[in-house]
């Protein structure tokens, strides 16, 4: 029996025999834990039972069992004689489970409960999750908006009962932490330094206290999570390595792209500098080719004269100044020649 949860429950409720029916709600596909309080000194040894009212009859649904959780049964009941508390678990709720129920000791009425099962689109599911040894497990729980005023709980199936990891004082196990987002109707439980002992079946639920003067409480369960705990295999290591390699390749590609852009910019600057140098070189060439050109040419003489009149032929120096035309129409050519003396 789960002592912590029962102590947490008994501190919040003050039950009395013969109270009017207390309202309990659940969602289809989920479960609910209903608590009935009795006086230990008067009913301690009585046979406890839980029945459903139908007209003048009350059909017994379950009697006291050793465990609150019995896999093959939808209804189960445990009796804590020390606390004077009956706990009834109804699993896999359906619309047909709605109705009035009674907690009884022998033939005497202890308390009467009115269960209302509603359609739940957000919850009432079963999920599986895997966590690694010494790693971190994150369990995300969605709940209906109507339970915003409840105290969110994470239960674990253990030794035939349901153990809660949270009380009014906080987490029982320091490795567990709970964060709630009321706007999105989600609470998240984080388990640090996961061990093999953490494997098992968990239930997302809430602890709800009615506005009834008796302050009778119950616990709706929304989602069932099967948590598997395993060591990292070669495949998981390779998967992590693949992620690391992929990130490294992306970084290398980004670095290579940045260097390429930098080199391209530097090359463009060099090209612009080369263009300026070519312009300067062209101007120098124009100055060189426009300088004076000196050539020595022989005087052709006149072969038609009489041989006796011929004189020795002397070489004459001709000075030419040539300019390469920048525009054919503007070109000028100057020639200065010294005619031979006869």
């Amino acid at each position: 029996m789960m002592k912590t949860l029962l102590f947490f429950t008994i501190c919040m409720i003050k039950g009395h025999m013969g109270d009017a029916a207390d309202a309990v709600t659940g969602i289809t596909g989920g479960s609910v834990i209903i608590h009935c309080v009795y006086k230990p000194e008067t009913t301690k040894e009585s046979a406890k039972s839980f029945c459903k009212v139908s007209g003048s009859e009350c059909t017994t649904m379950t009697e006291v069992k050793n465990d609150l959780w019995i896999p093959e049964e939808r209804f189960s009941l445990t009796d804590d004689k020390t606390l004077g508390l009956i706990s009834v678990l109804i699993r896999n709720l359906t619309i047909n489970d709605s109705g009035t129920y009674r907690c009884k000791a022998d033939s005497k009425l202890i308390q009467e409960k009115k269960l209302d099962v509603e359609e739940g689109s957000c919850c009432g599911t079963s999920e599986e999750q895997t966590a690694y040894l010494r790693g971190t497990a994150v369990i995300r729980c969605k709940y209906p908006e109507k339970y915003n005023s409840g105290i969110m709980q994470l239960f674990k199936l253990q030794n035939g009962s349901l153990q809660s990891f949270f009380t009014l004082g906080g987490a029982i196990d320091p490795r567990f932490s709970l964060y709630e987002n009321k706007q999105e109707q989600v609470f998240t439980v984080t388990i640090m330094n996961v061990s093999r002992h953490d494997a098992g079946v968990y239930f997302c639920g809430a602890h709800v206290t009615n506005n009834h003067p008796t302050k009778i409480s119950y616990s709706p369960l929304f989602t069932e999570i099967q948590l598997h705990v395993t060591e990292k295999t070669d495949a998981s290591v390779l998967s992590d390595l693949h992620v690391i390699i992929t990130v490294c390749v992306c970084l290398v590609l980004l670095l290579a792209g940045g260097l390429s852009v930098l080199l391209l910019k530097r090359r463009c600057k060099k090209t612009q500098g080369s263009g300026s140098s070519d312009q300067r070189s062209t101007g120098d060439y124009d100055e060189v080719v426009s300088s004076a050109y000196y050539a020595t040419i022989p005087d052709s003489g006149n072969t038609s004269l009489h041989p006796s009149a011929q004189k020795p032929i002397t070489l004459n120096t001709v000075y030419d100044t040539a300019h390469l035309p920048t525009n054919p129409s503007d070109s000028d050519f100057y020639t200065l020649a010294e005619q031979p003396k006869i």
Side-chain angles (χ1 to χ4, degrees):
M1 176 63 65
M2 179 182 46
K3 297 295 183 182
T4 303
L5 176 60
L6 295 181
F7 179 76
F8 172 64
T9 302
I10 201 67
C11 288
M12 297 187 66
I13 61 179
K14 296 179 180 179
H16 301 277
M17 295 179 62
D19 284 332
D22 294 306
V24 175
T25 60
I27 59 171
T28 55
S31 302
V32 64
I33 302 173
I34 300 174
H35 304 290
C36 296
V37 179
Y38 66 90
K39 295 180 180 180
E41 65 274 13
T42 57
T43 58
K44 187 173 182 179
E45 302 302 328
S46 302
K48 312 303 188 302
S49 63
F50 187 75
C51 62
K52 184 176 183 179
V53 176
S54 178
S56 60
E57 301 291 329
C58 191
T59 304
T60 300
M61 307 303 295
T62 183
E63 296 178 342
V64 174
K65 306 294 175 79
N66 292 328
D67 298 327
L68 184 63
W69 184 276
I70 303 174
E72 62 273 13
E73 296 184 15
R74 293 181 58 235
F75 289 77
S76 57
L77 179 153
T78 58
D79 177 18
D80 190 307
K81 295 180 175 61
T82 302
L83 296 177
L85 183 71
I86 293 174
S87 296
V88 179
L89 172 65
I90 309 176
R91 302 167 54 206
N92 302 324
L93 291 169
T94 67
I95 296 296
N96 294 331
D97 291 324
S98 298
T100 301
Y101 293 85
R102 289 174 181 171
C103 295
K104 298 175 66 175
D106 291 333
S107 59
K108 296 180 180 179
L109 173 66
I110 298 176
Q111 284 179 343
E112 193 170 85
K113 306 287 184 177
K114 185 177 181 180
L115 175 61
D116 182 19
V117 180
E118 304 172 348
E119 292 285 351
S121 58
C122 73
C123 319
T125 59
S126 297
E127 303 173 2
E128 291 195 13
Q129 191 170 327
T130 300
Y132 294 114
L133 280 173
R134 296 172 294 279
T136 301
V138 178
I139 299 176
R140 188 174 184 271
C141 302
K142 183 79 174 174
Y143 61 88
E145 184 178 2
K146 67 178 300 178
Y147 296 108
N148 261 342
S149 59
I151 300 172
M152 297 302 116
Q153 294 281 297
L154 181 70
F155 301 88
K156 183 182 180 183
L157 178 60
Q158 191 165 322
N159 298 325
S161 188
L162 293 176
Q163 177 182 355
S164 174
F165 286 92
F166 300 92
T167 66
L168 291 175
I172 297 174
D173 190 327
R175 297 181 302 115
F176 286 69
S177 61
L178 186 150
Y179 170 77
E180 182 181 2
N181 186 333
K182 288 187 177 294
Q183 291 183 345
E184 297 182 3
Q185 288 83 55
V186 173
F187 71 92
T188 303
V189 176
T190 302
I191 309 174
M192 305 295 293
N193 193 22
V194 173
S195 67
R196 292 191 183 278
H197 179 72
D198 295 322
V201 179
Y202 291 83
F203 293 89
C204 299
H207 191 88
V208 180
T209 302
N210 286 335
N211 293 325
H212 191 276
T214 58
K215 299 295 181 183
I216 300 302
S217 64
Y218 66 97
S219 299
L221 308 179
F222 313 121
T223 305
E224 177 181 331
I225 300 100
Q226 175 71 55
L227 180 64
H228 304 280
V229 177
T230 182
E231 292 186 5
K232 280 198 172 186
T233 61
D234 293 340
S236 61
V237 173
L238 289 175
S239 177
D240 294 343
L241 183 60
H242 176 73
V243 173
I244 294 174
I245 292 174
T246 302
V247 172
C248 291
V249 170
C250 292
L251 291 175
V252 170
L253 291 177
L254 289 174
L255 182 60
L259 290 175
S260 298
V261 172
L262 181 61
L263 291 174
L264 183 60
K265 288 183 177 180
R266 296 185 67 178
R267 180 173 294 180
C268 290
K269 289 182 179 180
K270 286 185 177 181
T271 303
Q272 293 175 356
S274 300
S276 301
S277 300
D278 291 343
Q279 292 177 357
R280 290 193 299 270
S281 300
T282 303
D284 296 340
Y285 176 73
D286 290 341
E287 293 178 1
V288 170
V289 297
S290 63
S291 60
Y293 174 75
Y294 301 93
T296 302
I297 57 174
D299 187 5
S300 61
N302 191 347
T303 55
S304 63
L305 295 177
H306 190 273
S308 61
Q310 291 182 0
K311 291 185 179 180
I313 297 174
T314 61
L315 295 177
N316 297 282
T317 301
V318 177
Y319 301 92
D320 292 333
T321 300
H323 295 275
L324 289 179
T326 57
N327 190 337
S329 60
D330 298 334
S331 62
D332 294 323
F333 182 77
Y334 302 92
T335 301
L336 178 62
E338 182 181 351
Q339 297 297 327
K341 295 179 182 181
I342 304 175

